[in-house]
Amino acid sequence: MSADEPFISAVKPLVDAMGGELLPPDEAGPDDVVLAWEGADVVAVRLPQLADSLDHILAAMERKRGIPLADLDRKAKQEVVRILEARGAFSVRHGVETVASALGVSRFTVYNYLNRDKT
């Protein structure tokens, strides 16, 4: 697998960023994505469930900012909501509740942030 390692190293940051998991191609399930390199199956990617992906995105946003999202000021929280809306976070079941909890605000506040951009 040494010839494949550069390919796996190249895709790993993307898979990690989306909360996926790398697997040997022979362990791939029907919902996994098998990646081939130079005609051979090299690695399989197990994509996260949407709800798990939202948690992963929130954790990554928190790491990037270096503080809990709940500790951000109002303007920064509004920006987080805008970013999450663009990424489809609110199409996930309980997305508003999950984001509200992470931001330390009510669902009503998240809806206000969403509606504020539309007026």
Side-chain angles (χ1 to χ4, degrees), residues 38-110:
E38 297 181 349
D41 291 345
V42 176
V43 68
V45 178
R46 180 155 296 152
L47 300 173
Q49 297 297 314
L50 284 175
D52 295 337
S53 186
L54 178 54
D55 289 337
H56 189 80
I57 291 167
L58 289 165
M61 294 177 95
E62 206 165 76
R63 279 192 308 276
K64 183 178 179 181
R65 285 168 172 73
I67 62 170
L69 296 178
D71 293 345
L72 297 173
D73 63 24
R74 183 175 51 86
K75 185 174 181 180
K77 288 179 182 182
Q78 289 170 336
E79 178 63 21
V80 166
V81 168
R82 279 192 292 278
I83 292 167
L84 292 171
E85 181 180 28
R87 294 184 73 177
F90 302 111
S91 63
V92 176
R93 186 169 189 218
H94 302 296
V96 171
E97 292 86 349
T98 301
V99 171
S101 177
L103 293 176
V105 299
S106 69
R107 288 181 7 225
F108 181 75
T109 299
V110 172

Side-chain angles (χ1 to χ4, degrees), residues 23-29 34 41-44:
L23 307 165
D26 59 343
E27 293 180 20
V34 177
D41 291 345
V42 176
V43 68

Side-chain angles (χ1 to χ4, degrees), residues 10-22:
V11 299
K12 186 173 181 344
L14 175 62
V15 173
D16 289 346
M18 62 186 192
E21 177 185 355
L22 295 174

